[in-house]
Amino acid sequence: TSKNTIVSGTNDLLVNLNGVLINRIIYSVKVVGLENCSGLPIEINDADFGLPEFGEMGDIIINEIMFDPYPTAKTDYVELYNRSEKIIELKNWVLCEFDEIKDTLDGCKFLSDKPYALLPGSFVAISRDNADLIKHYPTCDENRFLQIESMPTFSNDKGIVVIINDSSEVVDRLEYSDEWQHVLIKDPNGISLERLDYNRETQNKDNWHSAAKTVGYGTPGLANSQYFPAKDFSENIVIEPESFSPDNDGFEDVLNINYSFDNTGNVANVIIYDAEGREIKQLVNNELLATQGTITWDGSTENNTKARSGLYIISFEIHDENGGTSQFKKTCVLAIKF
């Protein structure tokens, strides 16, 4: 750098660079010898930055939402994740709810009227009271909080969250429901819904799970306690893990049924049976599949109760475009920890 100057009347420092910045390169800046008004060294004195790019659909996703606060809490929160390779500027982006009755966006709030860059692979938790989040969610990163003047009025039972970029384009949309909470959750107050996999569809309800009890039921600003992406597509049908324990502790709480086929146009039926052959739950009913994807079982039954521990059979039936039928059977174990 060369010839740095303090901008008069602000807390800003104008830094002149000798070189040209390159897109998608993250740079670091560190300030040495900085003290506060009491003469003590300032510990947080470095930051990452880079050239911002335009954020579009698929770049930024809704990653976590807490829409029903504790009775003692002051705010909902929505967490975003940058799954792109871009450095995305969130200035003039908007958080809204969608009113189905009026068929219009409602309660729209600007995320920031100042520059706020979201780096690749980074999170930002949006609320109207950062201190309130710290108080109620000890597993958090307050450096990834973005406080706004007020939040849209998200309903405690169901609603629609919409993120809009600075060109008025919808970047992501989630229609949530309190029925998505885990079957063990009797009182959903203060419990967030976390996304299981960044690459699965936002609106797939099987891609959401209650935050784990072990982290305080929410992880604002941090990776999700229930993050469990599908990894193995080596066969037509792969079960991972083969043994799971849906007790909402953040470890192997769900079962992923990964499928991979060469041809398109497959219609599937996926049913869970117990060891005696009794139907426990139908996960998929005549659903058109992509060539590759994941179906998740959270251990619940058709009656929305927790299935008993034991051996279960996954029946995966495929009907192709030519009228052919293929059936795959896999087993898994629903375990209980002692």
Side-chain angles (χ1 to χ4, degrees):
T1 64
S2 64
K3 196 179 180 181
N4 304 326
T5 57
I6 297 176
V7 180
S8 178
T10 72
N11 294 322
D12 299 331
L13 177 67
L14 181 62
V15 179
N16 298 292
L17 303 176
N18 289 329
V20 177
L21 300 182
I22 301 174
N23 274 345
R24 304 195 182 184
I25 297 295
I26 298 176
Y27 300 89
S28 296
V29 59
K30 185 171 185 177
V31 181
V32 179
L34 195 63
E35 299 178 347
N36 60 23
C37 296
S38 301
L40 299 175
I42 295 179
E43 296 181 2
I44 302 176
N45 59 357
D46 56 359
D48 295 331
F49 70 98
L51 291 178
E53 296 183 62
F54 178 72
E56 54 192 349
M57 181 177 290
D59 290 339
I60 301 288
I61 57 173
I62 300 167
N63 189 56
E64 184 176 352
I65 176 171
M66 195 285 296
F67 49 88
D68 185 4
Y70 290 111
T72 57
K74 302 176 183 178
T75 181
D76 301 342
Y77 71 82
V78 174
E79 181 190 78
L80 306 181
Y81 174 72
N82 182 357
R83 70 176 181 183
S84 76
E85 297 180 354
K86 304 175 183 176
I87 300 168
I88 298 179
E89 174 60 68
L90 296 184
K91 180 181 178 181
N92 294 328
W93 282 46
V94 179
L95 173 65
C96 301
E97 60 175 329
F98 183 80
D99 190 317
E100 289 188 288
I101 297 177
K102 298 178 182 178
D103 192 28
T104 185
L105 295 172
D106 196 14
C108 295
K109 310 296 180 183
F110 282 105
L111 300 189
S112 179
D113 58 0
K114 298 178 181 178
Y116 189 99
L118 189 60
L119 301 181
S122 294
F123 308 90
V124 59
I126 303 156
S127 79
R128 71 176 183 90
D129 194 322
N130 289 349
D132 192 65
L133 291 194
I134 297 170
K135 176 181 177 181
H136 289 90
Y137 299 96
T139 307
C140 67
D141 184 352
E142 58 186 286
N143 296 313
R144 302 299 180 202
F145 288 178
L146 182 57
Q147 182 169 305
I148 61 179
E149 184 176 347
S150 61
M151 292 284 287
T153 308
F154 296 125
S155 172
N156 290 350
D157 54 358
K158 62 179 181 178
I160 302 175
V161 185
V162 181
I163 297 294
I164 299 174
N165 66 15
D166 52 357
S167 294
S168 300
E169 299 171 345
V170 174
V171 174
D172 204 7
R173 181 184 188 274
L174 172 66
E175 185 172 352
Y176 66 85
S177 170
D178 60 354
E179 294 182 357
W180 293 7
Q181 297 283 9
H182 192 268
V183 65
L184 295 178
I185 303 296
K186 303 307 179 184
D187 182 359
N189 289 161
I191 301 175
S192 77
L193 287 174
E194 296 181 322
R195 192 178 185 125
L196 292 174
D197 191 338
Y198 306 139
N199 295 317
R200 291 169 66 181
E201 292 182 3
T202 297
Q203 197 47 56
N204 182 350
K205 68 181 180 64
D206 292 337
N207 196 25
W208 295 87
H209 198 284
S210 304
K213 178 181 179 180
T214 52
V215 298
Y217 294 116
T219 55
L222 291 174
N224 293 343
S225 64
Q226 298 289 8
Y227 182 61
F228 188 55
K231 297 177 181 178
D232 190 352
F233 293 92
S234 59
E235 302 177 27
N236 290 131
I237 306 295
V238 177
I239 305 300
E240 58 176 2
E242 293 182 351
S243 176
F244 74 118
S245 53
D247 52 9
N248 207 44
D249 68 347
F251 180 71
E252 296 182 344
D253 281 332
V254 297
L255 181 81
N256 279 345
I257 307 168
N258 304 331
Y259 62 86
S260 181
F261 299 100
D262 294 330
N263 55 311
T264 60
N266 291 318
V267 175
N269 290 296
V270 182
I271 302 175
I272 307 293
Y273 294 94
D274 66 14
E276 281 71 44
R278 293 170 296 201
E279 182 174 328
I280 299 301
K281 187 167 187 177
Q282 182 157 21
L283 299 181
V284 171
N285 182 20
N286 291 327
E287 183 176 311
L288 181 64
L289 300 182
T291 55
Q292 181 174 291
T294 299
I295 298 163
T296 297
W297 184 35
D298 64 358
S300 63
T301 70
E302 205 70 63
N303 296 325
N304 202 33
T305 59
K306 182 181 176 181
R308 296 179 179 179
S309 62
L311 181 71
Y312 288 88
I313 301 166
I314 299 111
S315 172
F316 202 117
E317 187 180 72
I318 292 292
H319 303 278
D320 62 33
E321 291 180 317
N322 299 318
T325 299
S326 302
Q327 189 165 36
F328 305 85
K329 288 188 177 181
K330 296 285 184 176
T331 59
C332 70
V333 173
L334 193 157
I336 294 178
K337 295 178 182 178
F338 295 96

